[in-house]
Amino acid sequence: MKRIILLFAVAVLYGCAGNTPVYLDTRKPVERRVEDALSRMTLEEKVAVLHAQSRFSSAGVPRLGIPELWFTDGPHGVRAEVLWDSWKRAGWTNDSCTAYPALSALAATWNPDLALLYGECLGEEARYRNKHVLLGPGCNICRTPLCGRNFEYMGEDPVLSSSMVVPYIKGVQSKGVAACVKHFALNNQETNRHTTNVIVSDRALNEIYLPAFKAAVQDAGVWAVMGSYNLYLNQHCCHNSRMTEILKDEWGFDGVLVSDWGGTHNTLQAIENGLDMEFGTKTDGLASQTDNEYQNYHLAAPYLDMLRQGKTSELILNEKVRRILRLNMRTAMSHQKSFGKFVCPEHSEAARRIGAESIVLLKNEDGILPLENAGHILVVGENAVRSMTDNGGSSALKAKYEISPLDGLKSALPGAEIEYVQAWSSKGELDLAPALEAAKRADIVVFVAGLNKEKYQDAESYDRKSFDLPYSQNSLISSLAKINSKIIVVNISGNPVAMPWENEVKAIVQSWYLGSEAGNSLADVLTGKVNPSGKLPFTIPVCLEDGPLSSAEQYPGIPRENPVGPDTIWDEYYKEDIYVGYRWYEKTGTKPRFAFGYGLSYTDFNISDARLKGRTLTCRLTNTGDREGSEVIQLYMTLPGNDRPLKELKDFRKVTLAPGDSALLNFEIPDEYLMQYGETGWTILQGDYFVHIGNSSDNISYSFTFKN
């Protein structure tokens, strides 16, 4: 009897003989399965899959055995479970994740292999939690150091961002989880992020702000893209006709265009301008909601009404549903997905390794680092003990554990006397006396400075108000330096910060938000267990005024209405055009404090025997020091034509060498490196091309020229 019931259930699920749904047979090609499932769906079922049914899920089609899709933040770890209709945490006891270094840290590794490892580990954690779409990575360009969300992005250069975003996506999707690259596009600030209309040249758009997204689509085959909050050409980017034309028509994207939460504003534009899935409209925690608010989404009941009245074509609807079914079959319905892994030793080790390799040694006077024979060490600063994982906006994580810098040092140096004084606090406390008194007794002072992912520091929804370190840290560092000359400043941030005390301290270490293994990663570098090899993914200027944004028109924009209201549109003019980051400083001859691509080591390297033959550049890299270490060789080019940057990054290699060892490197220069965007699109100009090889944008060892 039980067997008869079971057979009946199977017959109901799969249909009668001769009518087995193709979409349920994972042996069939995906496109055939998509068309089969689409043909069986009602109009109501098609519309139902286009929009959220909860904070982080969309409906399936239970009648046909098509599962719902579950989304999750964020780019640095799998977000804690939240309630169905609220941002409040659900209170689960098994959703504490591994927190990975922020993407600004990943970019600082200049190591695509680590980006692949990062994506694989993150994909495994998302898969274990039964998430189908991971909302990340972010690859918007760091246009200003004040952008509160730069810590979620991959620096100021499109080639570096592209090189790191592709393996991250491949890693995530290899585990049967869709990456959702964001925020497409021109999301370069948090101030007025919902109402800023970006006015940018086609050249800057295509050469600076779109390449990483294009690489995500065409090189990584990303399965989902999230639109940005801001406007472009006076249309919100979640349903922007030009952006969709670029994404789907020009680049051939076959995945799902997802709105950012609360980023949908117009039903007809959402229908006609390519938006496939809508989330967060009036249920984003920023507005009131009714009992059935999900049915009031633009792509819900209003869309269904227009379809029933013949005001829009079902052909457009079918194309949206095809993309969603394709996504479902790549993830939730895939037979290739594994069970995943969650908070395991392998993931902790990966987080620690990535974090250590991201740390950038900016200054090391008198070889004060590494701390190999330290005696009495004074550690100063709230950031030495503060949690950096559970804040910052949508990337906030409920980490299973988090090693602080102080605890990491104590563990790495069991024989040292380590004293801690907080001295400053984000709550307003500033007590210099204990720190100054302790500095008199210490052999070395490690000041753990920086930002903290609170409002107006590095945080979603808030740009920074100042380039300076908050809470009087600059004055405290200077005061300590007068008491003890052996000061090591560790700056924790996702952004460049002012460093007026550069010449007053012995060493400067740029650290980041490093996740669960933060303290261990930092200690590995400070003690010499790991030789620092990180390189800056952005320029650190002397002061904000040296940068390219010099007017309100450029940042934060000019309001169209007076007085200003919550819905006022702000027009922002990208007058600096392609001169972002190091391109600007080299154009103006302004020397930065630390250049793009810069980073020191505990060993020494030499670039020699460089030659350019045809379009192949070869050079030899030798470790001339006494420690194993890694160096990043960077290839820049100068293109002919009017108004071009002095040099632009085109390629790089990260090489690890033992003392005395060398490696021969080859760089091919394809046509792609010669292309620039003009009035007629992408072209290759005739003329002289210059090729430069070095280990930072301002430290070039060899230059060559060839004619095209």
Side-chain angles (χ1 to χ4, degrees):
M1 184 63 181
K2 290 182 178 179
R3 179 174 174 81
I4 293 174
I5 294 174
L6 178 61
L7 290 174
F8 177 76
V10 170
V12 171
L13 178 61
Y14 285 89
C16 299
N19 192 33
T20 302
V22 173
Y23 66 88
L24 286 175
D25 186 349
T26 56
R27 297 168 298 179
K28 301 294 185 181
V30 168
E31 295 309 310
R32 185 178 172 191
R33 296 170 63 204
V34 166
E35 292 304 319
D36 179 60
L38 180 66
S39 69
R40 299 169 187 267
M41 294 172 66
T42 66
L43 187 68
E44 291 75 14
E45 288 169 340
K46 290 177 183 179
V47 172
V49 302
L50 303 183
H51 61 85
Q53 64 172 1
S54 75
R55 193 67 79 196
F56 279 108
S57 72
S58 61
V61 188
R63 179 182 66 86
L64 298 177
I66 298 173
E68 56 195 8
L69 289 172
W70 281 89
F71 295 67
T72 182
D73 288 316
H76 312 137
V78 182
R79 186 174 183 158
E81 297 295 333
V82 299
L83 298 174
W84 188 265
D85 283 316
S86 170
W87 290 113
K88 294 181 181 179
R89 287 184 177 172
W92 290 19
T93 58
N94 60 350
D95 60 345
S96 298
C97 69
T98 304
Y100 296 91
L103 293 190
S104 56
L106 179 62
T109 69
W110 289 61
N111 188 340
D113 290 339
L114 283 189
L116 178 64
L117 174 65
Y118 191 121
E120 289 172 340
C121 293
L122 192 50
E124 287 176 343
E125 298 231 342
R127 182 70 207 96
Y128 184 91
R129 291 269 301 280
N130 201 30
K131 306 302 181 185
H132 306 120
V133 182
L134 180 83
L135 302 177
C139 61
N140 294 101
I141 294 296
C142 298
R143 178 176 177 252
T144 168
L146 298 184
C147 176
R149 221 164 174 181
N150 279 344
F151 73 96
E152 293 188 52
Y153 302 145
M154 297 188 180
E156 69 185 28
D157 183 81
V159 169
L160 176 60
S161 296
S162 299
S163 299
M164 301 303 286
V165 79
V166 168
Y168 175 113
I169 291 168
K170 288 183 176 180
V172 171
Q173 295 187 169
S174 71
K175 305 304 177 180
V177 176
C180 183
V181 68
K182 62 183 187 182
H183 304 88
F184 184 69
L186 302 166
N187 189 161
N188 307 118
Q189 68 190 60
E190 292 300 285
T191 298
N192 304 323
R193 62 177 180 164
H194 291 273
T195 54
T196 292
N197 178 55
V198 174
I199 300 168
V200 61
S201 72
D202 286 343
R203 179 171 77 153
L205 178 68
N206 284 275
E207 291 192 10
I208 303 296
Y209 298 103
L210 292 186
F213 290 102
K214 184 177 182 180
V217 171
Q218 295 191 334
D219 298 335
V222 73
W223 294 340
V225 172
M226 179 188 289
S228 59
Y229 284 133
N230 53 278
L231 298 88
Y232 170 65
L233 299 178
N234 295 305
Q235 290 180 350
H236 282 92
C237 285
C238 287
H239 38 71
N240 185 291
S241 58
R242 177 56 186 145
M243 284 299 175
T244 300
E245 181 182 38
I246 292 171
L247 179 67
K248 295 184 176 180
D249 298 339
E250 296 180 13
W251 295 349
F253 174 62
D254 70 352
V256 171
L257 178 59
V258 179
S259 76
D260 203 341
W261 270 233
T264 310
H265 301 270
N266 183 284
T267 299
L268 190 58
Q269 286 187 9
I271 294 170
E272 296 184 347
N273 293 351
L275 182 64
D276 299 312
M277 299 188 79
E278 178 185 4
F279 287 87
T281 305
K282 295 185 180 179
T283 56
D284 58 1
L286 304 178
S288 61
Q289 61 189 74
T290 61
D291 291 339
N292 199 21
E293 192 63 46
Y294 297 108
Q295 290 303 315
N296 293 327
Y297 276 28
H298 295 282
L299 292 182
Y303 190 8
L304 188 58
D305 289 343
M306 293 182 69
L307 286 162
R308 287 169 173 166
Q309 296 169 20
K311 294 182 177 179
T312 184
S313 170
E314 192 172 349
L315 294 176
I316 297 175
L317 171 65
N318 287 343
E319 178 56 24
K320 298 179 190 296
V321 177
R322 281 190 184 94
R323 292 174 178 271
I324 295 167
L325 289 170
R326 189 178 296 129
L327 174 65
N328 204 316
M329 292 175 187
R330 285 168 167 169
T331 57
M333 297 183 71
S334 171
H335 70 291
Q336 296 177 330
K337 59 181 182 289
S338 64
F339 288 106
K341 299 179 184 177
F342 197 62
V343 195
C344 58
E346 296 90 343
H347 290 176
S348 295
E349 177 57 32
R352 182 171 184 166
R353 179 186 169 193
I354 294 165
E357 196 162 324
S358 74
I359 292 171
V360 186
L361 180 62
L362 297 176
K363 180 179 181 180
N364 192 23
E365 186 177 321
D366 299 330
I368 192 172
L369 288 172
L371 298 172
E372 294 176 306
N373 299 302
H376 181 186
I377 301 174
L378 172 64
V379 178
V380 180
E382 185 185 60
N383 278 8
V385 297
R386 181 187 178 93
S387 171
M388 294 293 190
T389 58
D390 192 14
N391 47 10
S394 61
S395 64
L397 298 172
K398 182 182 175 183
K400 182 70 173 180
Y401 69 96
E402 181 177 356
I403 308 296
S404 71
L406 180 61
D407 286 342
L409 276 175
K410 287 182 176 179
S411 177
L413 298 170
E417 179 187 353
I418 298 180
E419 182 180 1
Y420 172 68
V421 178
Q422 181 169 306
W424 60 271
S425 167
S426 58
K427 296 180 180 179
E429 176 196 329
L430 180 63
D431 190 358
L432 298 180
L436 296 178
E437 187 61 31
K440 296 176 183 178
R441 305 188 299 267
D443 296 323
I444 290 176
V445 177
V446 178
F447 190 101
V448 187
L451 309 178
N452 59 23
K453 295 175 74 176
E454 293 288 349
K455 294 180 180 179
Y456 308 111
Q457 301 305 325
D458 280 332
E460 182 181 1
S461 302
Y462 304 93
D463 281 350
R464 298 166 62 194
K465 292 185 175 181
S466 171
F467 187 51
D468 287 325
L469 290 174
Y471 319 121
S472 303
Q473 292 177 77
N474 287 341
S475 62
L476 178 53
I477 293 170
S478 294
S479 297
L480 285 168
K482 294 175 182 177
I483 300 296
N484 191 321
S485 62
K486 294 185 176 180
I487 304 287
I488 299 167
V489 176
V490 176
N491 179 65
I492 296 177
S493 70
N495 256 312
V497 300
M499 299 179 177
W501 31 260
E502 176 194 352
N503 296 325
E504 303 171 33
V505 302
K506 289 291 185 181
I508 304 174
V509 176
Q510 174 62 44
S511 190
W512 315 90
Y513 305 118
L514 297 183
S516 292
E517 289 286 328
N520 287 335
S521 296
L522 179 60
D524 285 346
V525 171
L526 294 183
T527 63
K529 180 179 179 180
V530 172
N531 197 339
S533 64
K535 300 284 186 175
L536 288 177
F538 46 55
T539 306
I540 300 181
V542 174
C543 60
L544 199 61
E545 291 72 23
D546 286 347
L549 309 187
S550 59
S551 67
E553 285 184 323
Q554 289 176 282
Y555 176 83
I558 302 296
R560 290 182 184 175
E561 293 86 20
N562 190 13
V564 173
D567 297 323
T568 297
I569 299 298
W570 296 68
D571 287 317
E572 186 171 44
Y573 296 81
Y574 283 30
K575 292 183 176 180
E576 71 283 359
D577 203 58
I578 61 173
Y579 294 97
V580 177
Y582 67 92
R583 292 167 169 80
W584 170 263
Y585 294 96
E586 294 187 345
K587 175 185 179 181
T588 60
T590 305
K591 182 175 175 57
R593 193 175 296 279
F594 296 107
F596 171 79
Y598 175 81
L600 301 175
S601 171
Y602 294 151
T603 191
D604 297 302
F605 295 93
N606 180 57
I607 303 173
S608 62
D609 302 330
R611 293 179 176 84
L612 180 67
K613 185 175 182 180
R615 286 208 204 162
T616 301
L617 186 149
T618 60
C619 67
R620 183 169 297 278
L621 177 68
T622 304
N623 183 343
T624 59
D626 58 3
R627 291 173 178 266
E628 179 180 276
S630 301
E631 178 64 297
V632 180
I633 302 302
Q634 302 161 35
L635 184 146
Y636 295 83
M637 289 187 64
T638 306
L639 276 57
N642 297 324
D643 197 17
R644 294 301 312 176
L646 292 183
K647 54 178 156 326
E648 303 168 78
L649 181 70
K650 294 297 182 180
D651 202 352
F652 60 89
R653 301 279 193 284
K654 190 164 195 176
V655 182
T656 301
L657 295 171
D661 283 357
S662 65
L664 185 65
L665 307 181
N666 291 274
F667 292 88
E668 299 295 333
I669 302 173
D671 284 351
E672 176 188 352
Y673 292 4
L674 279 57
M675 301 186 77
Q676 50 188 301
Y677 200 87
E679 293 181 358
T680 58
W682 290 101
T683 57
I684 299 177
L685 299 182
Q686 300 297 310
D688 293 331
Y689 287 80
F690 293 86
V691 185
H692 317 280
I693 200 82
N695 67 351
S696 71
S697 62
D698 69 344
N699 190 32
I700 299 301
S701 299
Y702 293 89
S703 293
F704 303 93
T705 185
F706 68 89
K707 286 187 178 293
N708 182 61

